[in-house]
């Protein structure tokens, strides 16, 4: 650890190498895709924070209300001098509700892939919470995350708000839950999950009138142009959000407006007219699918805090102790 920051390097790859390899793998497949983790460079992280303030994007406001109403119970899950560990922390806005209520916390460990954004946020939090140890970890939470050694035996509670778990395929969501389950001293995992609801409300949340979400998704092409020697014509790819009822998810895609050839790291990639790149998915849950996911990874659903309309859930998962 240097300067209070734990950095988890990619094995044998720089971040740029990993970006190029991942993009080439996804864009040369029969169904083109890009991993949503590459959306979160500094600009992408800032755009996502804008999305959370949009009138159509109900999840942030709804979850914030649930956290506010249940702050005492949720912060009370962390033992005295224990640690709150957040995956995909971003600007840690909603986390502050728990930090304000959890004056007994010993440490807060924000984990995020966007280094600069994470460090800016950590600096702000150190000013706001001078008595709390802030230990940022630069890491990709879609892979196993190593926590700081000095916290190995510290009692801890995981925090994963924002329904970000819905962006993961079911097997990856299960793997993430299993990875958190394996942390030493883990007592609970607080997870935000968006629920299945009216289709029009779901689509509007991911296709806002101001076009901020479209800009956010298309930012991945901007990043590839900047960092991966690509030459995407950004305006030649239109954003599309649609509800996939079979998989209970919103699909976010970039659709080629015409036949074109793009080069990336020296390799030519051909697009047909109306061919789509799948960039992100936002899965929605029911109480049953939430319970099944938790049990598959060794957790019980100890509590499910919701809003009055059950649009969103903040689930408290506790480890299953098998004999």
């Amino acid at each position: 650890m240097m300067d209070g920051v734990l950095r988890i390097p990619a094995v044998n790859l720089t971040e740029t190498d990993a970006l190029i390899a991942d993009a080439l793998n996804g864009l040369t497949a029969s169904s083109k895709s890009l991993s949503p983790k590459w959306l979160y460079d500094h600009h992408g992280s800032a755009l996502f924070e804008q999305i959370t303030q949009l009138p159509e994007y109900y999840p942030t406001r709804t979850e914030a209300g649930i956290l506010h109403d249940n702050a005492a119970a949720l912060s009370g899950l962390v033992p005295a001098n224990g640690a709150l560990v957040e995956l995909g922390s971003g600007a840690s806005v909603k986390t502050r509700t728990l930090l304000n209520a959890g004056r007994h916390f010993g440490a807060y460990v924000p984990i995020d892939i966007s280094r600069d954004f994470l460090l800016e946020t950590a600096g702000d939090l150190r000013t706001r919470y001078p008595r709390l140890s802030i230990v940022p970890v630069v890491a990709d939470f879609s892979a196993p995350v190593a926590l700081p050694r000095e916290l190995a035996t510290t009692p801890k509670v995981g925090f994963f708000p924002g329904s970000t778990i819905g962006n993961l395929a079911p097997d990856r969501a299960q793997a993430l839950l299993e990875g958190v389950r394996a942390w030493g001293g883990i007592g609970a995992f607080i997870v935000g999950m968006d629920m299945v609801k009216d289709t029009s409300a779901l689509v509007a949340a991911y296709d806002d009138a101001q076009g901020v979400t479209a800009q956010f998704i298309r930012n991945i092409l901007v990043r590839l142009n900047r960092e991966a020697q690509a030459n995407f014509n950004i305006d030649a790819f239109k954003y599309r959000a649609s509800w996939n009822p079979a998989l209970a998810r919103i699909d976010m895609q970039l659709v080629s407006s015409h036949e074109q050839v793009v080069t990336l790291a020296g390799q030519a990639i051909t697009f047909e007219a109306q061919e789509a790149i799948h960039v992100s998915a936002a899965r929605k849950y029911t109480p049953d699918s939430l319970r099944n996911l938790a049990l598959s990874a060794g957790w019980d659903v100890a509590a499910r805090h919701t809003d009055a309309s059950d649009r969103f859930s903040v689930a408290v998962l506790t480890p299953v102790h098998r004999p």
Side-chain angles (χ1 to χ4, degrees), residues 35-88:
S35 171
K37 71 182 180 182
W38 301 114
L39 292 165
Y40 295 93
D41 60 358
H42 190 277
H43 184 55
S45 296
L47 283 171
F48 183 74
E49 293 305 321
Q50 289 183 42
I51 288 170
T52 65
Q53 303 302 313
L54 294 169
E56 299 96 332
Y57 197 76
Y58 64 86
T60 297
R61 291 187 303 277
T62 307
E63 184 179 35
I66 296 169
L67 292 173
H68 178 270
D69 292 345
N70 297 278
L74 294 171
S75 63
L77 295 168
V78 181
N81 297 314
L84 182 71
V85 183
E86 181 176 4
L87 299 175

Side-chain angles (χ1 to χ4, degrees), residues 144-159:
V145 175
L147 296 180
R149 292 180 181 176
E150 63 267 30
L151 295 177
T153 60
T154 300
K156 56 184 67 70
V157 168
F159 187 41

Side-chain angles (χ1 to χ4, degrees), residues 15 19 22 34-52 57 60 87-92 94 111-119 138-142 160-168 206 212-213 215-224 226-227 252 279-282:
E15 183 175 73
L19 169 63
D22 206 15
L34 289 168
S35 171
K37 71 182 180 182
W38 301 114
L39 292 165
Y40 295 93
D41 60 358
H42 190 277
H43 184 55
S45 296
L47 283 171
F48 183 74
E49 293 305 321
Q50 289 183 42
I51 288 170
T52 65
Y57 197 76
T60 297
L87 299 175
S89 54
S92 300
K94 283 175 285 193
I111 300 170
D112 203 90
I113 195 172
S114 180
R115 178 184 180 278
D116 292 344
F117 199 78
L118 175 66
L119 297 185
V138 181
D140 175 7
F141 66 72
S142 67
F160 196 31
S163 196
T164 308
I165 197 166
N167 299 131
L168 304 178
Y206 295 89
V212 181
T213 308
Q215 186 182 355
F216 171 63
I217 297 296
R218 281 165 35 174
N219 183 62
I220 200 168
L221 304 185
V222 176
R223 185 175 186 183
L224 290 172
R226 183 179 66 247
E227 300 180 28
M252 287 159 272
V279 180
S280 187

